[in-house]
Amino acid sequence: MKKLFSIILFLSFSLLFAKEALPYRVSVQNFSQEAVKKEIKLDKYNRQLGYQIINNGESVVFLFVPSVWKIEKPLSVYVEGSFNGWSKKNPDWELTKVKNQLWTLECPAETIKIPGNSGFPEFKFIVQAQIDYTESICGQEVQKSKKETFEPNAVSRIAGYQMASNNLILFPQDNPEDVIQNLSLMKAPKKLKDYNLEEAEDRERIANFRLVPGTSSLYRGYHPYKISRGNMDTEKPRLACVNQLLKEKGVQSIITLSGNEQIDPKKENISVYVSDIRTKGNHFFVNTHYNIVYYQSAGQEFGNMIGDIVRFINDHPAPFYVHCRLGTDRTGVISAVLASLCGASWQEIKEDYQKTNLLGIQEVRDWRLLKYSFDQILGKPVEECENLQQEMSGYFIEKKFFTKAEFEGMKAKLGASSL
């Protein structure tokens, strides 16, 4: 009997600890028709997270509790995030003071569901506060005050709800474990000793270099000569590996998505191999940026860029190499679109996009961010496409960003699969 009791006690404690080990899932508060500010309930979770889901998941209320953020006398509070282009002090995103220890702003959930690098909506508060201080004037201590603006980092220690210095917004259907897994890749940067550059796999990993899915002659990766992580001992070997791989793969044409940046002759140089490609007129420079490729992918500028890249491919020799600075955002989206045009599945594209997280520079991009870009182009969730190649090419052809003949020419040039 005593042994049985011990077993039951052990199992009870095991279940208790197992339950506590599970990441917190956000709650939903529902209200009557009265004002949210009168009914919202603060708890130990939403105080830290800075938001509460309400109305059966249809709305998000931002919650700023000054004491949690260690700001004593706030005068105004705004929210900036991935959902408003990180707009600073936008009056449309200003919180209202409900009482001394609570400021709120209610927003439709659909306007918030725009992801940042984490794959989930990200935000920070911008707070203008009164700061009291003492100044000595003619030997007398005089009390004064001034206004200062603060942009505090995430204060939450709830696992899965912050990345870098940003707060994350997860909904009940979202799994914090996805964030926790991504964060595990950011704990420490990879050092040169973590690679064996005698191995082809490690050379490709350090250079973020690989074949684009659906193609046989399009590679993607890191910049071949611009230093972006000069404080890391991997940077110069990384650039050397990029240039070695370009030569090994016989790359004949380069598409640079970060513009024609000047080199710093004291620490940067263009290899003879890349210089030869440029001399032959086979280097195409495009100057795009993060917001265009992720949040404005259904716009004219993005469409024109894809058309220009397709025509460059048709007019220049293969194999091709597409890159930006890190081979992460601009390269990630453009190579993904080209992969879709060449017949790669969404699963293949998604998995390839995630591989950049292995670069080891303490940055993470989640596939949900790429999905947002694709969803904007397609006008529906990418997972609902029965034939991604057909629907993606149909969009660009219908919008006249490139012709059917140009599309077919590009596919042949890149060794793509057929419709």
Side-chain angles (χ1 to χ4, degrees), residues 14-246:
S14 297
L15 289 171
L16 176 63
F17 285 119
K19 183 178 180 181
E20 289 187 351
L22 293 175
Y24 169 73
R25 292 289 188 117
V26 294
S27 64
V28 177
Q29 293 185 17
N30 294 312
F31 305 99
S32 67
Q33 297 301 312
E34 295 180 25
V36 168
K37 63 184 181 182
K38 293 181 181 178
E39 296 205 26
I40 197 155
K41 297 177 179 64
L42 293 176
D43 57 39
K44 66 178 182 179
Y45 296 109
N46 59 25
R47 286 171 182 268
Q48 293 182 60
L49 298 177
Y51 75 96
Q52 175 64 54
I53 309 296
I54 65 168
N55 298 342
N56 297 313
E58 295 178 4
S59 299
V60 175
V61 178
F62 291 99
L63 306 171
F64 180 78
V65 180
S67 59
V68 172
W69 301 84
K70 295 182 169 37
I71 297 177
E72 293 184 357
K73 297 182 179 180
L75 302 172
S76 60
V77 182
Y78 301 83
V79 66
E80 58 166 338
S82 56
F83 40 80
N84 64 9
W86 295 97
S87 178
K88 307 282 187 184
K89 296 184 182 180
N90 186 328
D92 293 335
W93 294 90
E94 183 174 7
L95 280 68
T96 300
K97 185 176 181 180
V98 176
K99 50 189 177 182
N100 191 42
Q101 281 295 310
L102 180 61
W103 301 62
T104 68
L105 173 66
E106 181 181 354
C107 303
E110 288 307 311
T111 67
I112 300 299
K113 292 180 179 179
I114 299 177
N117 293 342
S118 63
F120 300 95
E122 302 181 15
F123 75 96
K124 281 187 173 183
F125 291 116
I126 299 181
V127 186
Q128 188 175 56
Q130 177 183 313
I131 304 300
D132 297 329
Y133 66 101
T134 302
E135 186 175 314
S136 180
I137 301 177
C138 298
Q140 297 292 320
E141 298 295 318
V142 179
Q143 294 294 320
K144 289 194 170 185
S145 64
K146 60 182 177 180
K147 294 179 182 178
E148 284 194 14
T149 299
F150 300 89
E151 194 173 346
N153 293 338
V155 297
S156 168
R157 293 296 175 264
I158 303 170
Y161 290 85
Q162 62 285 319
M163 182 172 282
S165 60
N166 296 337
N167 307 282
L168 306 188
I169 297 178
L170 275 64
F171 289 82
Q173 68 272 20
D174 297 325
N175 189 353
E177 285 283 7
D178 294 338
V179 179
I180 294 168
Q181 184 176 352
N182 280 338
L183 283 171
S184 69
L185 299 173
M186 294 178 63
K187 285 185 177 179
K190 286 186 178 178
K191 298 184 182 297
L192 189 57
K193 64 181 178 61
D194 297 323
Y195 296 94
N196 177 8
L197 298 186
E198 296 298 317
E199 298 290 335
E201 185 178 353
D202 272 12
R203 290 199 300 276
E204 292 187 3
R205 186 176 291 118
I206 197 174
N208 203 14
F209 191 109
R210 55 190 176 272
L211 188 68
V212 172
T215 78
S216 60
S217 58
L218 175 63
Y219 298 91
R220 43 91 69 235
Y222 209 84
H223 204 293
Y225 54 83
K226 288 300 295 181
I227 292 175
S228 296
R229 292 293 184 271
N231 61 325
M232 302 179 74
D233 69 352
T234 49
E235 191 69 359
K236 287 188 177 180
R238 192 189 324 275
L239 299 186
C241 284
V242 172
N243 284 278
Q244 181 183 355
L245 288 162
L246 289 173

